[in-house]
Amino acid sequence: MKPAKRLQNLPEQFFSKLVQDVNQKIKDGVDVINLGQGNPDQPTPDHIVKALARAAEDPQNHKYSLFRGKPEFKRAAANFYQREYGVRLDPEMEIAILFGSKAGLVELPLCFLDEGDLMLLPDPGYPDYLSGISLADARFETMPLREANQFLPDYHEITAETREQAKLMFLNYPNNPTGSTATKEFFAETIQFARENEIGIVHDFAYGAIGFEAEKPISFLANEGAKEVGIELYTLSKTYNMAGWRVGFAAGNREMIEAINLLQDHLYVSLFPAIQEAACAALLDSQEAVQDQNERYRKRRDAFLSAAAKIGWQGSAPAGSFFAWMKVPAGYTSSSFAKYLLDAAGVAVADGSGFGTFGEGYVRIGLLVSEARLEEAVDRIGQLAVFQKAEENFIKSY
């Protein structure tokens, strides 16, 4: 059987290649320090696991769930947004349950783009943003995220022709891979831009709970007019270390929520109800574990950046997320430097060019190992010739 063209045309899965390379090194006996991952390293808080166990024992949860999910979960999501961001949401009309936010990111181009339609993507950005566009047989143009502009897109760079043709835009703050955060002023500008050009906004808020500044990261929906032009996708994966549970939700614009629900009516019969009940516990019960985790990531960030500074390795201090965005030394590409670190130091990092054209010149560091392990990784890297002889401008392409 020959696969359909839609499968043949899918982009290469960037992270699967990274996993293969790391696993091969481990198989070869190398003690790899894996900083290339985006997978939380801590367990799901115990009270959430216990909530799942209780719910799994209820025979009613072994039946098909309601197509659009348990009302209790949608009410919990609405209460969470009111408590955390001061955003009021109608649980039935403005929230759609997702099989993880990644599913929503793939579904949205299918919901709103016909063949040949155009959407806007951040560059660098999460590689899997391309999946839904490919399946929808749509087109995309990128918006450069430059350090000089705090890794925010400059809407003045978008041509009149692109503004007219674009129907959808993805944004992501705190940002993967750069660790930058958005401002209220930027979101206000985004809403105005969306209104003027009739572009739907999809804000990927996967790292919404992870911020290191005086104020927590800003929700797109907390800005006036946001629900008129877009939605926000929230996942429990990062906030509550529930990556493997595949549970999240979309919130905001009613027409966009209904479109997601309609598509999912034909794909699923909602999530396992016990997972939905556990999600309620995560959103509504004590948030102490979330606060503790945020402090853990802050300490890891500071430990890593302090160690990197000592060997002369430059990068941007993330204001949010659990990633650091580090510059590649002169003479290397992002790809060759990532390969060099894995081969010569046993340290895995994510090649910045895998996140887009404007990711070239950087590598992404996942702060998902202990402080001691992060410092060990930097110590190994510091022993390499590129850092030992930086003053001689040593380097030839690896």
Side-chain angles (χ1 to χ4, degrees):
M1 292 291 290
K2 185 177 180 180
K5 289 182 179 179
R6 69 177 60 87
L7 295 186
Q8 297 179 47
N9 294 336
L10 281 169
E12 181 182 3
Q13 231 301 337
F14 170 67
F15 294 107
S16 67
K17 178 64 165 60
L18 177 62
V19 170
Q20 290 173 13
D21 292 344
V22 170
N23 287 343
Q24 184 59 53
K25 285 294 180 183
I26 293 173
K27 185 178 179 180
D28 293 341
V30 177
D31 174 28
V32 176
I33 302 177
N34 189 355
L35 308 183
Q37 63 185 352
N39 196 3
D41 62 307
Q42 297 296 304
T44 305
D46 188 58
H47 72 281
I48 302 173
V49 177
K50 288 179 177 177
L52 173 67
R54 290 192 300 270
E57 291 179 349
D58 183 352
Q60 291 300 314
N61 285 331
H62 302 174
K63 300 179 180 181
Y64 289 127
S65 177
L66 295 172
F67 266 85
R68 300 189 174 189
K70 291 176 73 71
E72 297 90 334
F73 181 20
K74 289 188 276 190
R75 287 197 296 268
N79 289 338
F80 171 83
Y81 256 74
Q82 177 71 59
R83 183 189 74 225
E84 297 293 325
Y85 304 111
V87 175
R88 297 186 64 181
L89 294 164
D90 180 325
E92 284 303 314
M93 303 298 293
E94 296 180 335
I95 292 176
I97 294 171
L98 301 173
F99 288 65
S101 61
K102 179 180 175 179
L105 292 166
V106 174
E107 291 166 357
L108 279 156
L110 296 172
C111 289
F112 291 101
L113 301 180
D114 291 319
E115 180 180 351
D117 282 346
L118 180 68
M119 80 169 294
L120 298 171
L121 296 180
D123 180 359
Y126 181 46
D128 286 358
Y129 289 158
L130 298 173
S131 303
I133 299 172
S134 176
L135 290 170
D137 200 15
R139 299 178 296 128
F140 70 93
E141 291 188 18
T142 60
M143 303 176 292
L145 308 186
R146 298 183 178 89
E147 187 171 5
N149 198 44
Q150 292 75 53
F151 297 109
L152 299 170
D154 183 349
Y155 296 134
H156 295 97
E157 293 183 348
I158 299 174
T159 66
E161 181 180 8
T162 296
R163 291 171 184 238
E164 183 177 350
Q165 294 180 10
K167 292 188 174 181
L168 206 61
M169 177 197 296
F170 280 175
L171 293 172
N172 165 224
Y173 295 98
N175 183 256
N176 174 16
T178 70
S180 58
T181 54
T183 63
K184 292 179 179 178
E185 292 77 14
F186 169 74
F187 278 144
E189 182 184 4
T190 298
I191 293 165
Q192 183 64 28
F193 179 82
R195 282 174 173 161
E196 291 175 352
N197 298 285
E198 298 183 355
I199 297 173
I201 304 299
V202 179
H203 183 233
D204 176 5
F205 204 31
Y207 303 91
I210 306 171
F212 310 117
E213 305 301 328
E215 298 182 0
K216 70 172 64 178
I218 300 169
S219 164
F220 170 70
L221 295 181
N223 296 268
E224 184 178 356
K227 286 198 290 184
E228 298 172 16
V229 299
I231 60 173
E232 190 157 74
L233 304 191
Y234 198 93
T235 175
L236 279 67
S237 295
K238 280 71 177 180
T239 305
Y240 302 103
N241 294 322
M242 295 171 67
W245 298 52
R246 309 316 303 143
V247 55
F249 57 91
N253 183 272
R254 294 183 177 214
E255 288 77 16
M256 297 176 81
I257 293 298
E258 173 58 26
I260 292 172
N261 279 328
L262 178 58
L263 178 62
Q264 292 190 154
D265 284 348
H266 292 268
L267 294 175
Y268 317 115
V269 187
S270 197
L271 282 167
F272 178 34
I275 288 181
Q276 296 185 54
E277 291 190 23
C280 292
L283 295 169
L284 299 179
D285 291 351
S286 170
Q287 303 296 298
E288 183 178 356
V290 178
Q291 297 162 7
D292 291 344
Q293 176 177 264
N294 212 45
E295 180 63 13
R296 179 182 298 111
Y297 288 142
R298 186 192 64 77
K299 289 180 178 178
R300 290 179 180 181
R301 178 199 70 162
D302 293 348
F304 173 79
L305 291 175
S306 176
K310 291 177 182 177
I311 67 168
W313 193 11
Q314 297 180 336
S316 302
S321 83
F322 45 53
F323 298 119
W325 193 230
M326 303 300 290
K327 292 182 178 179
V328 169
Y332 282 100
T333 65
S334 293
S335 179
S336 66
F337 187 61
K339 186 176 188 304
Y340 179 43
L341 294 188
L342 184 59
D343 289 345
V347 176
V349 300
D351 167 9
S353 66
F355 298 91
T357 301
F358 285 84
E360 179 56 56
Y362 296 87
V363 292
R364 193 193 72 177
I365 305 296
L367 305 173
L368 297 166
V369 297
S370 68
E371 293 169 54
R373 199 70 163 153
L374 286 166
E375 291 169 341
E376 180 185 351
V378 177
D379 183 62
R380 291 187 193 181
I381 294 169
Q383 301 304 311
L384 301 177
V386 58
F387 290 103
Q388 288 285 309
K389 299 181 180 181
E391 67 279 5
E392 299 175 11
N393 201 23
F394 168 90
I395 312 280
K396 57 182 179 180
S397 294
Y398 182 74

